[in-house]
Amino acid sequence: MARKKRAQSPPLAVIILAAGQGKRMRSDLPKVLQPLAGRPLLKHVIDTALSLQPAATCIVYGHGGEQVRAALSAEPVEWVLQAQRLGTGHAVSQAMPRIADDQLVLVLYGDVPLVRRQTLDELLQLAGPRRVALLTMLPEDPTGYGRIVRNTRGQVQRIIEHQDAGKQQLRIREANTGIVAAPARLLKKWLKALRNDNSQGEYYLTDIIAMAVRERIPVLPMVVSSAEVVGVNDKAQLAQVEALHRQRINRELLLAGVTIADPSRCDVRGTLLHGEDVFIDVGVVLEGTVRLGNRVRVGPYCVVRNSEIGEETCVFGHCIIDSADIGANCLIGPFARLRPAAVLGQGVHIGNFVEVKNSRMGGDSKANHLAYVGDAQLGSRVNIGAGTIIANYDGAHKNRTTIGDDVHTGSNSVLVAPMTVGAGATIAAGSTVVKEVPPGGLTVARARQLTIADWRRPVKPKK
Ligand code: UD1
Ligand code: CA
């Protein structure tokens, strides 16, 4: 994607307002840490901000926001405390000492997570050392929002907050998104001049618009779809934003050639890297970084997290795959569980109710039913019989098992680790092996079958 570089324009400083308490979330988790597609709301905004390559990024957090700061301490941003919540203008002024006069300031919101980089790029094109750019919207219902007052020539004159608006002004449909870009030198001056003599007793950031107009500084509006600037105040809006995000991500994937059975029932909470003709059935959740090779099929109701799945592999329904590396042409599931460090070669089959953890399985090995493979290294063409358990844990240590090529384990066998099974060995059904199994041959480790011919079954005494 060709990115227009804002080469000639002044360096950028982004201020993200995040001092809200979010009481309406009815949650112990601060609002901006509520997850959207698996990441905190604020993390989405930070990522969008950083994609603009700003010279500085400041987050204004509030009283009790230490949890927010701690959760995102790895982010390359500056944290600015707004000790008292005195309004959006006051919040922005807390960050201004960190910002050089020649910078362009972009104000974003920690609870407005869907705004796109492209939109902000366009907005920043409109702003400059002597120009303010204002992002506006035309919501179905503008109740509660600040209204954009324009003159007869369509020029923006001021923003009037809903609470301060008269009857005429309340009829204005164009509303303030809150997102604005302004030159730091002028912004600093305007913020100092803000007064709180309004119905809410707050220092409104929005009042800088009238100040700019008075100084003949052009205010250039840009209208954006209101879906892109939905704010999140409660769980209903959180779900709405999640749905919009899902739509956006899945549309990109569909246009990139991924077949998604129902885009309203597939959640990508991270990054999906994919080959051609990938098919994803309903109810699939993909988390972290997931790589799907060409023609991979993921069946209904699977969860795949931080894993790679090779070409042509088919994952049947209801599998949980976490931090696994699956080769090409494998068959997985239904109802299989691949846990961290499960590494499967080509053509491996993992069937129903099979769990594989921290184990390598060589090419064409199979565990088709009801088995546990943990802390093991399997060769190629190994057949793990139904009910085979690798007993890797003695209550204190995880012990390793090595199984050679072409080994077959019988149904219901237990391999007590540490264990080595030589290539080509067959373990009889029902065996509990505790000593090294030599290559080839049949190893039987179970009580011998005997029949007591003259045995009498007890009978109930007659009443
Ligand atoms: C603000 C705008 C309004 C706009 C609306 C869009 C002002 C005065 N009004 O109104 O024109 O239509 O957003 O949603 O700017 N915040 C702080 N510290 C504060 C106050 C607010 O960090 O002292 C943060 C909040 O956490 C929130 C954002 O700023 O993320 C907006 O604050 P809020 O009080 O919700 O503003 P609105 O009244 O909705
Ligand atoms: Ca609000």
Side-chain angles (χ1 to χ4, degrees):
M1 217 183 306
R3 267 198 60 200
K4 254 187 268 169
K5 191 104 177 63
R6 298 177 315 104
Q8 319 86 321
S9 29
L12 175 66
V14 180
I15 300 176
I16 303 174
L17 301 192
Q21 294 179 341
K23 281 200 188 117
R24 279 179 281 164
M25 281 288 168
R26 295 178 177 275
S27 168
D28 282 343
L29 192 65
K31 174 163 81 170
V32 293
L33 293 185
Q34 298 283 334
L36 162 61
R39 287 181 298 155
L41 288 171
L42 180 54
K43 173 76 171 121
H44 288 262
V45 182
I46 292 174
D47 286 350
T48 307
L50 294 179
S51 74
L52 299 165
Q53 297 175 309
T57 305
C58 296
I59 301 185
V60 180
Y61 69 105
H63 179 70
E66 292 305 329
Q67 202 184 338
V68 176
R69 205 179 151 160
L72 295 164
S73 59
E75 300 297 323
V77 297
E78 291 178 55
W79 295 88
V80 180
L81 176 68
Q82 185 194 21
Q84 272 182 296
R85 210 170 170 279
L86 301 178
T88 49
H90 178 259
V92 170
S93 34
Q94 304 309 297
M96 294 314 285
R98 315 280 184 108
I99 291 166
D101 283 358
D102 67 340
Q103 294 186 339
L104 192 60
V105 175
L106 173 67
V107 179
L108 301 178
Y109 299 83
D111 57 0
V112 180
L114 295 183
V115 66
R116 292 176 309 135
R117 203 238 309 135
Q118 290 87 329
T119 301
L120 298 176
D121 260 336
E122 280 176 49
L123 186 75
L124 289 168
Q125 299 292 330
L126 298 178
R130 297 194 62 78
R131 286 196 321 267
V132 171
L134 182 66
L135 198 63
T136 74
M137 58 179 164
L138 294 164
E140 281 302 314
D141 176 9
T143 304
Y145 292 115
R147 305 299 210 283
I148 308 297
V149 180
R150 298 195 188 221
N151 66 13
T152 47
R153 281 179 291 166
Q155 293 161 325
V156 173
Q157 298 300 290
R158 62 181 293 208
I159 299 174
I160 180 94
E161 288 305 296
H162 183 100
Q163 291 87 341
D164 303 299
K167 229 173 155 191
Q168 287 295 330
Q169 291 161 328
L170 286 177
R171 281 202 200 111
I172 299 172
R173 230 192 101 208
E174 189 178 12
N176 177 28
T177 65
I179 295 172
V180 61
R185 192 188 311 274
L186 293 171
L187 183 59
K188 283 179 185 181
K189 185 176 77 177
W190 296 331
L191 289 170
K192 284 201 184 101
L194 286 182
R195 298 159 54 101
N196 64 352
D197 52 353
N198 50 55
S199 66
Q200 303 185 79
E202 287 184 5
Y203 296 94
Y204 291 163
L205 175 62
T206 44
D207 285 348
I208 66 160
I209 299 302
M211 294 179 182
V213 170
R214 222 171 293 141
E215 289 184 29
R216 302 188 180 285
I217 299 293
V219 176
L220 305 176
M222 179 180 144
V223 185
V224 73
S225 145
S226 46
E228 195 177 324
V229 284
V230 198
V232 180
N233 293 302
D234 55 34
K235 295 280 170 76
Q237 287 167 333
L238 186 62
Q240 187 192 354
V241 162
E242 184 79 46
L244 289 165
H245 181 81
R246 183 188 301 120
Q247 255 172 40
R248 185 187 281 179
I249 296 289
N250 288 347
R251 187 179 156 74
E252 282 170 18
L253 290 170
L254 288 161
L255 295 181
V258 177
T259 304
I260 299 177
D262 179 353
S264 73
R265 286 186 290 165
C266 170
D267 284 72
V268 179
R269 300 181 186 149
T271 308
L272 173 59
L273 304 166
H274 59 85
E276 288 174 10
D277 292 306
V278 163
F279 174 81
I280 299 176
D281 216 326
V282 300
V284 170
V285 177
L286 304 178
E287 297 181 340
T289 302
V290 172
R291 290 170 188 270
L292 303 178
N294 295 330
R295 294 171 297 286
V296 163
R297 298 177 69 85
V298 181
Y301 306 105
C302 288
V303 178
V304 184
R305 179 182 307 126
N306 292 321
S307 294
E308 181 163 353
I309 303 181
E311 284 198 2
E312 313 268 354
T313 285
C314 182
V315 180
F316 298 104
H318 298 277
C319 291
I320 310 290
I321 298 174
D322 182 6
S323 309
D325 184 348
I326 303 174
N329 292 296
C330 293
L331 297 177
I332 310 294
F335 299 100
R337 180 166 184 212
L338 299 182
R339 291 174 51 203
V343 179
L344 312 184
Q346 293 205 8
V348 167
H349 294 186
I350 299 294
N352 39 251
F353 308 108
V354 172
E355 175 177 338
V356 181
K357 183 213 81 171
N358 188 30
S359 294
R360 293 181 163 265
M361 291 178 66
D364 299 310
S365 287
K366 297 181 173 60
N368 273 325
H369 343 257
L370 303 158
Y372 175 63
V373 176
D375 300 312
Q377 165 103 33
L378 280 65
S380 300
R381 297 172 305 280
V382 170
N383 196 317
I384 298 291
T388 296
I389 302 294
I390 295 183
N392 60 321
Y393 187 50
D394 58 15
H397 315 96
K398 299 279 166 69
N399 298 305
R400 293 207 57 89
T401 294
T402 306
I403 298 177
D405 293 340
D406 300 295
V407 164
H408 287 199
T409 71
S411 296
N412 208 33
S413 44
V414 179
L415 281 59
V416 180
M419 171 58 58
T420 303
V421 182
T426 300
I427 295 174
S431 293
T432 296
V433 294
V434 295
K435 290 185 299 193
E436 182 170 336
V437 175
L442 172 68
T443 296
V444 188
R446 65 182 183 219
R448 236 171 225 290
Q449 181 167 333
L450 69 100
T451 304
I452 302 168
D454 58 355
W455 181 77
R456 284 180 191 282
R457 186 183 292 162
V459 285
K460 286 182 185 167
K462 287 231 166 65
K463 282 183 203 158

